[in-house]
Amino acid sequence: MKTLTRMMEHLYWANGRLAAAMKEQGADHPEALRLLRHVVMAERVWLTRLQGNDSSHLAIWNTSETLDELIGMLGRNERGYRSYMEGLSEERLDDIVDYRNQSGAPFRTSIRDIVTHVALHGQYHRGQINRILRAESLEPVGLDFILFARD
């Protein structure tokens, strides 16, 4: 449980750090915003499923939000996950969650595997956003776990 909680703390830190740097640098590249929105919405989808609710109404690859709106959504996700994780015990980590993906296909996955996926999924896309920042002559953001651990 401690490791998963620490991984989620890194996720909140990395998401917040990247979004703040994008705002500070005026990074409004459409693909960077699309990728950040994907991270935000994927996290929202998984939280919705963990809470036992249907996520089919949530679009994962939309591009309508501004950076400020995405920052607000990141905050809501963080609060939701913090609340969920506070109520979670080690004994429940292997409980199975039944859900349907965005295409309607049924799946069964343990809470442990879902939370691990959530903690790791955004890392790839945050790296893609950093690549876009560099290509736009902006400053990429250090988001490695060790930087978080040292912070």
Side-chain angles (χ1 to χ4, degrees):
M1 188 69 199
K2 285 174 69 172
T3 300
L4 285 177
T5 299
R6 186 85 166 137
M7 289 172 68
M8 291 301 290
E9 289 293 331
H10 172 257
L11 174 136
Y12 312 141
W13 174 87
N15 281 348
R17 186 172 162 112
L18 180 60
M22 289 173 70
K23 184 173 176 80
E24 181 180 302
Q25 296 182 60
D28 60 356
H29 189 281
E31 182 63 7
L33 291 174
R34 186 177 87 87
L35 289 166
L36 182 60
R37 186 188 189 284
H38 172 70
V39 169
V40 169
M41 290 309 298
E43 291 171 9
R44 172 60 46 145
V45 162
W46 285 110
L47 179 60
T48 301
R49 292 171 181 166
L50 286 167
Q51 293 169 331
N53 298 316
D54 176 33
S55 68
S56 64
H57 64 285
L58 299 170
I60 296 179
W61 284 107
N62 198 348
T63 58
S64 59
E65 286 82 10
T66 66
L67 180 56
D68 284 334
E69 289 169 325
L70 292 173
I71 289 170
M73 292 166 72
L74 282 171
R76 288 188 294 281
N77 281 354
E78 179 178 341
R79 288 187 297 279
Y81 274 104
R82 284 186 184 281
S83 176
Y84 180 81
M85 295 296 288
E86 286 171 8
L88 190 59
S89 65
E90 180 74 34
E91 296 74 33
R92 289 198 47 231
L93 286 176
D94 293 315
D95 287 359
I96 299 298
V97 176
D98 291 300
Y99 61 94
R100 292 187 178 275
N101 70 6
Q102 299 317 97
S103 299
F107 289 94
R108 302 187 64 183
T109 308
S110 72
I111 292 172
R112 179 186 314 273
D113 287 345
I114 291 172
V115 174
T116 300
H117 171 73
V118 169
L120 296 174
H121 169 259
Q123 198 66 1
Y124 174 72
H125 298 300
R126 288 187 295 267
Q128 289 178 303
I129 294 168
N130 261 337
R131 180 187 45 79
I132 292 167
L133 293 179
R134 185 180 308 272
E136 294 292 310
S137 299
L138 299 171
E139 196 62 37
V141 185
L143 301 172
D144 290 338
F145 182 84
I146 198 66
L147 299 175
F148 160 76
R150 291 177 190 156
D151 199 14

